[in-house]
């Protein structure tokens, strides 16, 4: 598959014809996606539409069956020699994965580590950076997500919203080029959703490139530069938030938004 990402600058992420099947189920059906540097893209759609699978393919948690993805001009998961693609080994994939920070529905914090230790673990263990330097940065990140007073707390001592904010700080500690959020508020009690969305708004305002799978339509309308509606493993509609959420052109999008807002 030929593509020269340098021709598309300032594109940070380019995905072409991404296809993923699970047995007889086609989870992603030839999806094309471009994300520019500093863009906030929100993906909405019903359960089973392929939203989370797309994020997992972008972060190489799932291997896609067909297509190609470039992140910052580098093909991910494969190396290309002439017209032939060769799968990268696990070590090379792990190196590439560092460029994407991912925040999941569940927080996946290490229960035996404090908030500070959770944030420091990746830079110290994976990147082999000096502990004192990392500690200073980790404390700054916890302050950034409003948890400077919780650095010695263990996950069990934190609310769900606080745990998710630690998870965001942990992802940011690896200094990713792209942040992926997979319904980061779906596991939270309603009163805790706002504190996580506030952190995400601040990230968006800072210029972080973000792809957010969400059911929070108000957040998407406020923060997103672009909204995508997915259904059946395909991108059905894409455009500015006011267009997709306010005046969608596709009946399937209209039906979904009406159902969410009812």
């Amino acid at each position: 598959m030929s593509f020269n990402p340098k021709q598309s600058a300032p594109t940070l992420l380019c995905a072409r014809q991404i296809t993923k099947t699970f047995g007889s189920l086609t989870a992603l059906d030839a999806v094309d996606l471009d994300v520019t540097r500093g863009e906030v893209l929100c993906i909405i759609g019903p359960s089973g539409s392929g939203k989370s699978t797309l994020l997992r393919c972008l972060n190489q948690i799932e291997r896609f069956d067909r297509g190609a993805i470039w992140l910052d001009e580098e093909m991910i998961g494969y190396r290309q020699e002439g017209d032939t693609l060769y799968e990268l080994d696990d070590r090379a994939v792990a190196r590439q994965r560092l460029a994407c920070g991912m925040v999941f529905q569940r927080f996946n914090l290490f229960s035996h580590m404090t908030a500070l230790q959770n944030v420091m673990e990746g830079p110290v263990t994976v990147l082999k950076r000096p502990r004192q330097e990392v500690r200073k940065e980790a404390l700054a990140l916890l302050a950034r997500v409003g948890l400077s007073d919780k650095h010695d707390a263990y996950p069990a001592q934190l609310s769900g919203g606080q745990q998710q904010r630690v998870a965001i700080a942990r992802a940011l500690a690896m200094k990713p080029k792209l942040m992926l959020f997979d319904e980061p508020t779906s596991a939270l009690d309603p009163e805790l959703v706002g504190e996580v969305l506030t952190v995400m708004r601040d990230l968006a305002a800072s210029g972080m490139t973000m792809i957010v799978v969400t059911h929070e339509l108000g957040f998407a309308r406020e923060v997103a530069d672009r909204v995508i509606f997915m259904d059946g493993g395909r991108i059905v509609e894409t455009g500015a938030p006011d267009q997709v959420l306010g005046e969608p052109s596709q009946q399937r999008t209209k039906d979904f938004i009406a159902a969410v807002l009812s």
Side-chain angles (χ1 to χ4, degrees), residues 147-201:
L147 293 174
S148 57
D149 60 334
K150 299 292 185 181
H151 64 273
D152 286 334
Y154 289 88
Q157 299 171 312
L158 300 173
S159 70
Q162 290 170 334
Q163 290 185 61
Q164 191 63 295
R165 285 186 279 158
V166 173
I168 293 172
R170 179 181 59 182
L172 292 172
M174 302 299 284
K175 300 183 179 179
K177 299 174 182 178
L178 172 67
M179 283 288 287
L180 307 174
F181 294 86
D182 188 7
E183 298 191 28
T185 61
S186 65
L188 300 179
D189 292 334
E191 65 268 21
L192 302 178
V193 169
E195 64 190 53
V196 174
L197 294 182
T198 295
V199 171
M200 294 173 64
R201 288 187 186 94

Side-chain angles (χ1 to χ4, degrees), residues 103-211:
V103 178
F104 300 87
Q105 298 176 30
R106 296 293 176 179
F107 324 120
N108 299 323
L109 299 178
F110 294 114
S111 61
H112 64 289
M113 294 183 179
T114 66
L116 179 62
Q117 290 168 336
N118 266 281
V119 177
M120 291 178 60
E121 179 67 12
V124 170
T125 303
V126 178
L127 300 181
K128 310 298 184 184
R129 293 183 56 208
R131 180 171 293 274
Q132 283 304 113
E133 179 182 288
V134 171
R135 186 178 191 278
K136 182 178 179 180
E137 292 180 4
L139 287 170
L141 284 171
L142 287 172
R144 183 176 182 182
V145 299
L147 293 174
S148 57
D149 60 334
K150 299 292 185 181
H151 64 273
D152 286 334
Y154 289 88
Q157 299 171 312
L158 300 173
S159 70
Q162 290 170 334
Q163 290 185 61
Q164 191 63 295
R165 285 186 279 158
V166 173
I168 293 172
R170 179 181 59 182
L172 292 172
M174 302 299 284
K175 300 183 179 179
K177 299 174 182 178
L178 172 67
M179 283 288 287
L180 307 174
F181 294 86
D182 188 7
E183 298 191 28
T185 61
S186 65
L188 300 179
D189 292 334
E191 65 268 21
L192 302 178
V193 169
E195 64 190 53
V196 174
L197 294 182
T198 295
V199 171
M200 294 173 64
R201 288 187 186 94
D202 290 343
L203 279 179
S206 74
M208 173 65 72
T209 309
M210 299 163 55
I211 303 178

Side-chain angles (χ1 to χ4, degrees), residues 221 227 237-250 257:
R221 184 185 296 273
V227 174
E237 187 162 1
T238 181
D242 287 346
Q243 183 263 305
V244 175
L245 301 176
E247 299 180 359
S249 61
Q250 301 299 312
I257 292 173

